[in-house]
Structures are given as structure tokens and as C-alpha cells.
């Protein structure tokens, strides 16, 4: 597609995603940058570039990309989620919490968002709310038949609220 239409932004972004899947992140970065060069408002390419920086361990650059993606697409749950994750890693729990709460408002059925919100709530000492989020994450993982995710959530929840963990374990594994 790029040979036929070298200015086709989506083709560069898609190729970048394929290259990421193959572990060829330097080449993927080039594709994402080209997509952004062609269309500066390409939120998906900016988000993907942020993921490259996150993967490389550069949370400052990743956060910058996620903020830029949100400037262009304010209702991107993925951008809010990823920004919250890198901010949490940088120790900015307050803003991380706000990002994960926004992601949850946009994507309320996501086990991943509930799980991440549980981590931040736990970080700020709101353990009962964290336990509730882990329980929600487990229930949603169950609904999506993601038993591996449910098992991980149950293990975390067991450290906070063993009774809720047991309830979830029964729902997931005993039907």
C-alpha cells in the first residue's frame, strides 16, 4: 500500500504496528513518525509512538506523546490509560488516578482499566476501593473468558481482601 500511495498515513501506521509485533521497534518508530509527518493530527500514530517510548523505558517521551494524542482525540481511553500508567511509574499518583478514572468512564467494561485503577487506588491508600476495582477487573475478565487475567487479579485481590478474592475465584473457576 505504501508503494502505491506513499502519502497514505494509515498504511504507515499499520506497518508500524506490524513491525512492533515483529520486535522491530526502530523501523516502527520511523513509520509512526512518517504517519505523523503526513498528518500531524494522527492520534493513533502519536499514541503508537508513545508506546514505543514506553517500551523503551522513556516515560517522559511516552507521556508527551500520550498528551499529544489526547489533545487530538480527548476520548481515547487507551491514551488516558497509557498516560496514567507512565505517570504512576513516575510517581505522579494524583494525575495517574485522574487518567485511569477518565479511562474507566470511557471504557467501563474493560478489565484492564479496572485492574490499573485498582493499582493506583492501592498506591494512594484507598485499599477498599482498590479491592472493589480488582473484583470488577476479575468479573470482567471472567465475562471475556480471560481466565489468566482473572487469576492474576485474584492473586492481587487476595492480598487486600481474601474474602472478595475467594468469591471471585468461585465465580471464575467453579461457575
Amino acid at each position: 500500500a505504501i508503494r502505491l500511495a506513499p502519502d497514505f498515513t494509515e498504511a504507515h501506521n499499520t506497518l508500524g504496528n506490524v513491525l512492533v509485533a515483529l520486535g522491530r521497534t526502530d523501523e516502527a518508530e520511523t513509520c509512526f513518525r512518517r504517519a505523523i509527518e503526513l498528518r500531524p493530527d494522527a492520534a493513533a500514530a502519536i499514541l503508537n509512538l508513545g508506546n514505543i517510548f514506553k517500551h523503551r523505558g522513556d516515560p517522559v517521551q511516552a507521556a508527551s506523546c500520550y498528551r499529544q494524542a489526547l489533545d487530538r482525540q480527548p476520548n481515547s481511553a487507551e491514551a488516558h490509560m497509557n498516560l496514567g500508567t507512565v505517570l504512576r511509574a513516575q510517581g505522579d499518583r494524583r494525575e495517574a488516578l485522574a487518567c485511569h478514572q477518565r479511562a474507566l468512564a470511557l471504557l467501563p467494561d474493560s478489565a484492564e482499566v479496572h485492574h490499573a485503577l485498582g493499582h493506583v487506588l492501592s498506591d494512594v491508600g484507598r485499599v477498599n476501593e482498590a479491592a472493589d476495582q480488582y473484583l470488577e477487573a476479575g468479573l470482567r475478565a471472567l465475562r471475556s473468558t480471560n481466565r489468566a487475567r482473572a487469576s492474576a487479579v485474584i492473586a492481587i485481590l487476595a492480598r487486600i481482601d481474601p474474602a472478595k478474592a475467594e468469591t471471585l475465584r468461585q465465580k471464575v473457576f467453579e461457575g
Side-chain angles (χ1 to χ4, degrees):
I2 292 174
R3 284 187 204 155
L4 295 175
D7 293 338
F8 186 42
T9 303
E10 288 76 13
H12 289 280
N13 190 52
T14 300
L15 178 57
N17 286 327
V18 169
L19 291 167
V20 165
L22 295 172
R24 295 163 53 184
T25 56
D26 290 340
E27 293 169 82
E29 179 181 351
T30 301
C31 290
F32 297 139
R33 288 188 183 279
R34 178 66 179 140
I36 296 164
E37 179 184 313
L38 291 168
R39 205 176 90 218
D41 67 334
I46 297 167
L47 178 73
N48 289 332
L49 183 59
N51 291 339
I52 295 260
F53 289 123
K54 180 180 163 193
H55 174 75
R56 289 181 180 158
D58 188 345
V60 174
Q61 283 291 97
S64 175
C65 288
Y66 297 144
R67 289 185 204 292
Q68 289 175 49
L70 286 167
D71 287 343
R72 289 152 179 84
Q73 193 175 2
N75 290 327
S76 169
E78 184 179 0
H80 283 288
M81 174 84 169
N82 291 354
L83 179 58
T85 299
V86 296
L87 291 172
R88 177 178 179 247
Q90 292 177 297
D92 188 348
R93 306 290 193 250
R94 185 185 56 76
E95 193 172 351
L97 179 59
C99 288
H100 287 303
Q101 288 172 325
R102 181 68 181 138
L104 182 63
L106 293 166
L107 205 58
D109 291 327
S110 168
E112 184 179 7
V113 174
H114 282 282
H115 190 194
L117 181 56
H119 285 321
V120 179
L121 287 166
S122 181
D123 291 345
V124 298
R126 293 164 58 180
V127 293
N128 289 336
E129 291 172 80
D132 290 341
Q133 291 303 314
Y134 291 135
L135 179 60
E136 287 299 320
L139 291 171
R140 278 156 176 71
L142 169 62
R143 289 184 193 126
S144 70
T145 66
N146 188 340
R147 290 181 176 240
R149 166 78 62 168
S151 294
V153 170
I154 290 168
I156 293 168
L157 182 56
R159 288 183 265 159
I160 296 171
D161 190 328
K164 284 184 181 176
E166 179 56 23
T167 299
L168 179 58
R169 187 196 65 73
Q170 289 174 0
K171 288 182 179 180
V172 171
F173 297 109
E174 296 173 12

